[in-house]
Amino acid sequence: MSRFDEMSELLDQLEPDINKFYEKGNKAAGTRARKTLQAMKKKAQEIRMEIQEWKNTGKV
């Protein structure tokens, strides 16, 4: 699975929970949304480190 696909999957997981939280006031959905956002933040950091490593080793 590519890095873009991983981020896209997390974004797909986030959308329904964001909608439930903001439109219906579902607190549990808010908790799930925050958890998914944290996972996205972690994944983004991994991708950033990978890009930096590729730049430093001359793979690009």
Side-chain angles (χ1 to χ4, degrees):
M1 179 178 282
S2 75
R3 293 296 193 173
F4 181 80
D5 290 339
E6 292 172 18
M7 289 295 286
S8 181
E9 183 178 311
L10 287 170
L11 187 60
D12 290 342
Q13 291 174 13
L14 178 64
E15 186 178 9
D17 289 328
I18 288 288
N19 289 335
K20 287 178 187 175
F21 178 73
Y22 283 111
E23 293 175 8
K24 299 178 182 176
N26 185 322
K27 291 181 182 180
T31 300
R32 289 190 302 271
R34 288 187 303 114
K35 183 178 178 182
T36 303
L37 287 166
Q38 187 64 31
M40 289 178 76
K41 178 181 174 183
K42 181 180 176 188
K43 185 62 62 182
Q45 184 63 31
E46 290 173 9
I47 294 169
R48 291 182 71 230
M49 296 300 290
E50 184 177 283
I51 290 169
Q52 189 64 40
E53 182 180 320
W54 277 49
K55 285 175 45 181
N56 291 340
T57 60
K59 288 186 178 181
V60 286

